[in-house]
Amino acid sequence: MTAWRLPAETSADAVLLVSELVTNAVCHTPSARVLCGIGRIADDCLRLEVHDHAYSVGTLPRCEAGSEDEGGRGLFLVQEIAHTWGVDRSRRTGGNAVWATLIIPG
């Protein structure tokens, strides 16, 4: 991201999104390993991906975190920060490929 000279806020958002997607994969799938990727898909857009080994492809756990809960807000954060996001079958792992895009201000 440094080589792309992204604004600090965009880089911070990208790090947070990948962190939340990886945490979700580690906590909610049987994956011993996950694959992460980031790419610039246009001059003004990044795509972040996390590939897991989930048994149930295309589904993500939904939960409502209580005010005292320390977790359970990851996908809410992804939804609020990302321009778009979704889940597809991963051609690399056979599990989920959870992705998010970020618009690079410019």
Side-chain angles (χ1 to χ4, degrees):
M1 291 185 289
T2 302
W4 291 328
R5 298 180 185 187
L6 297 179
E9 183 177 329
T10 302
S11 293
D13 285 348
V15 168
L16 178 60
L17 287 172
V18 169
S19 173
E20 293 300 334
L21 295 177
V22 167
T23 299
N24 200 60
V26 168
C27 291
H28 300 290
T29 74
S31 302
R33 294 181 297 177
V34 296
L35 299 173
C36 301
I38 182 171
R40 200 159 181 171
I41 59 174
D43 287 343
D44 66 344
C45 190
L46 286 179
R47 181 176 169 107
L48 315 161
E49 295 181 358
V50 173
H51 298 254
D52 63 35
H53 295 85
Y55 298 128
S56 189
V57 177
T59 61
L60 295 178
R62 303 279 182 192
C63 67
E64 294 290 325
S67 62
E68 299 296 317
D69 292 340
E70 292 184 15
R73 294 173 185 82
L75 292 178
F76 173 76
L77 289 172
V78 170
Q79 180 178 329
E80 292 300 307
I81 294 169
H83 176 66
T84 58
W85 75 281
V87 59
D88 299 312
R89 176 180 288 279
S90 172
R91 290 184 280 162
R92 291 180 173 84
T93 65
N96 289 316
V98 185
W99 56 269
T101 61
L102 278 174
I103 299 300
I104 304 166

